[in-house]
Amino acid sequence: MVVVEEHGEVGNPACCAGIVGAKGFEELGIKPGRWVLGKLRRAVIYPPSNQPVELTRGKVEAFVIDRAEFDRSLAKEAARAGAIFLLKTRCVDLKLGREPILKLRGIEGGELSARLVVGADGPTSTVARSAGLLKSNRHLKCAQAEFVAETQADAAEVYFGRSFAPGFFGWLVQAGDVCRVGLGCAEGNPLQMLRSLVKKHPVVSKKLAGGQVLNVCVGIIPKPLSRRLCTDRVLLVGDAAGQVKPLTGGGVYIGLSCAKLAAEVATRALEAEPNEKALRPYARAVKDKFGREFELGLRARRAFERMSDEDLDTILGLLGRDDVKKLVLKNFDFDHHGRLIRSLVAKAPEILRELGLRRILKYTHYLVKP
Ligand SMILES: Cc1cc2nc3c(=O)[nH]c(=O)nc-3n(C[C@H](O)[C@H](O)[C@H](O)COP(=O)(O)OP(=O)(O)OC[C@H]3O[C@@H](n4cnc5c(N)ncnc54)[C@H](O)[C@@H]3O)c2cc1C
């Protein structure tokens, strides 16, 4: 197996908050290593009015990881299993055929033919585009900075509000001796919005006041279900395949989980011809495991993206009510949001009475519309 990587070092540069569910790692058989920087037991939600609501079940729900170190640990395992790494080498094109040919630029320039190409080349995937697997290019824009500052070590702080993160949210989390602050937005310039979050947000600006910025990055999060997963002798995994949680954009667990499914199917397919028919079980396995999650999550996001700050305040404020908090904590799963969404929708009329019938109908409409 040959791995083509455009950068000089696996894992760098990384643009990721590094929050990954503990159960997800367990399911994947990945033991926490040196790359764990923190353990999260609590979420503190700040609605636009900034009256925080805390959610916790008292146990470790997620790890904050050093993403570059984590990726390098996986790369070392791949190298031990025989993978050859071509670093500082960029794939600029892919020609499909009986033996697909990758056009490379960089240290190992030239052409490389392969029996099977796995596009794991992130949200702007050259492989997805060249192989005609891109159905839509919709994505969220994100920006993140690392500060020398301290916040609550065991809590992920999540900030909502249209003026700071329209259509998504901001986050603040301790990652070892730095603090990561970032946001995603459906519209606008994410870097400008991050500057505004850090300097003007009434809570975030106080927490980060005087802290030195160590680095800033921008990135994008692809929309789930925006790409086909395979064609003759090509398959996609991770962000290249749009394999992220629709509500939070987290893609580390889902990408790895789908990569496992891809590896099983690819191994079988390579025993004969890895044509589309032989690779299709991969697309089916992903649909079986995550299809419903993607669909429900996208509908919930569609409703969420349309919420005014006033409505967000009412809805997120409900998390402070004992019955709603109990329902959320009972049904919450860090990596699978379907059960939580279904339980909230079932209780929507009762829980959301405060929103008024017209607005309940408006949001429920987005939730039920395919
Ligand atoms: C700001 C931000 C914060 C995030 N926070 C979280 C989080 O807390 N938890 C979480 O689970 N997810 C998070 N995500 C999402 C997560 O980072 C992605 O889902 C994850 O990185 C996807 O991994 P991947 O390997 O598929 O793609 P990538 O991490 O994008 O890796 C793709 C690799 O391919 C290489 N590459 C790309 N194109 C080429 C080419 N043409 N030729 C050669 N090499 C190429 C790149 O250099 C890179 O090494 C976040 C995303 C952003 C933007």
Side-chain angles (χ1 to χ4, degrees):
M1 182 177 79
V2 176
V3 180
V4 178
E5 167 56 55
E6 63 185 338
H7 294 105
E9 189 187 17
V10 170
N12 262 330
C15 191
C16 183
I19 304 171
V20 186
K23 255 171 73 182
F25 275 139
E26 205 179 301
E27 179 202 309
L28 294 163
I30 298 176
K31 292 206 172 67
R34 275 193 347 202
W35 35 264
V36 172
L37 299 173
K39 295 177 181 176
L40 301 177
R41 289 183 171 81
R42 298 181 294 137
V44 184
I45 315 280
Y46 288 84
S49 65
N50 292 313
Q51 292 298 319
V53 184
E54 183 177 313
L55 295 170
T56 183
R57 293 188 283 208
K59 58 175 182 158
V60 174
E61 301 279 354
F63 295 110
V64 183
I65 66 169
D66 177 336
R67 182 61 204 283
E69 189 62 37
F70 175 67
D71 281 17
R72 276 194 293 278
S73 75
L74 296 181
K76 274 184 207 155
E77 275 188 48
R80 265 186 230 116
I84 296 163
F85 285 77
L86 305 183
L87 299 178
K88 283 204 168 177
T89 303
R90 181 172 169 73
C91 167
V92 290
D93 198 12
L94 167 69
K95 275 202 183 62
L96 300 181
R98 266 199 76 74
E99 291 233 314
I101 296 175
L102 298 167
K103 197 164 172 202
L104 306 180
R105 285 224 184 102
I107 289 193
E108 309 279 348
E111 291 189 341
L112 184 69
S113 66
R115 284 191 66 212
L116 174 66
V117 176
V118 177
D121 49 346
T124 58
S125 175
T126 304
V127 175
R129 207 170 350 97
S130 305
L133 295 172
L134 205 58
K135 288 195 280 183
S136 117
N137 202 14
R138 284 199 57 199
H139 55 260
L140 279 167
K141 294 175 275 184
C142 301
Q144 182 179 267
E146 287 189 340
F147 273 76
V148 182
E150 266 182 41
T151 183
Q152 315 179 63
D154 66 341
E157 296 178 22
V158 189
Y159 294 86
F160 291 91
R162 293 204 75 85
S163 41
F164 292 101
F168 207 58
F169 57 83
W171 60 86
L172 189 70
V173 71
Q174 193 70 32
D177 47 13
V178 297
C179 183
R180 291 181 185 147
V181 58
L183 58 79
C185 52
E187 58 200 67
N189 176 329
L191 265 182
Q192 272 171 14
M193 293 205 177
L194 181 62
R195 203 169 297 130
S196 165
L197 181 77
V198 168
K199 297 247 179 272
K200 295 188 187 151
H201 190 281
V203 179
V204 178
S205 62
K206 284 203 187 78
K207 293 194 177 217
L208 297 177
Q212 283 281 338
V213 189
L214 288 185
N215 65 61
V216 180
C217 68
V218 286
I220 63 172
I221 292 179
K223 192 175 167 212
L225 303 179
S226 59
R227 294 117 201 255
R228 288 196 294 127
L229 299 192
C230 56
T231 183
D232 275 349
R233 295 169 183 81
V234 180
L235 60 80
L236 303 178
V237 290
D239 273 21
Q243 289 161 346
V244 300
K245 289 181 265 182
L247 283 180
T248 63
V252 174
Y253 157 74
I254 296 196
L256 285 170
S257 186
C258 294
K260 232 174 158 175
L261 301 173
E264 283 158 17
V265 172
T267 308
R268 274 197 306 275
L270 282 166
E271 284 165 10
E273 273 296 293
N275 54 22
E276 181 163 3
K277 187 162 174 253
L279 296 176
R280 226 177 278 142
Y282 163 56
R284 270 201 298 276
V286 170
K287 192 170 179 202
D288 287 349
K289 188 158 186 190
F290 294 110
R292 193 81 188 113
E293 289 280 317
F294 288 147
E295 277 170 25
L296 264 178
L298 281 173
R299 286 184 204 180
R301 197 165 106 194
R302 211 161 48 186
F304 165 74
E305 277 175 358
R306 285 160 175 85
M307 283 177 194
S308 63
D309 276 1
E310 195 193 337
D311 291 351
L312 276 172
D313 263 332
T314 309
I315 290 171
L316 294 170
L318 289 170
L319 291 172
R321 242 171 65 180
D322 281 349
D323 58 332
V324 181
K325 198 181 260 193
K326 223 167 132 186
L327 183 80
V328 169
L329 292 176
K330 184 175 163 216
N331 291 291
F332 177 76
D333 179 312
F334 196 88
D335 291 310
H336 305 269
H337 300 153
R339 200 174 68 187
L340 177 61
I341 297 171
R342 276 193 296 273
S343 68
L344 287 171
V345 169
K347 285 260 185 192
E350 192 186 318
I351 295 172
L352 300 178
R353 206 167 290 139
E354 289 165 52
L355 265 185
L357 185 63
R358 201 164 54 84
R359 285 182 290 172
I360 295 178
L361 288 176
K362 172 180 158 192
Y363 297 131
T364 327
H365 162 76
Y366 289 114
L367 282 170
V368 294
K369 200 175 116 186

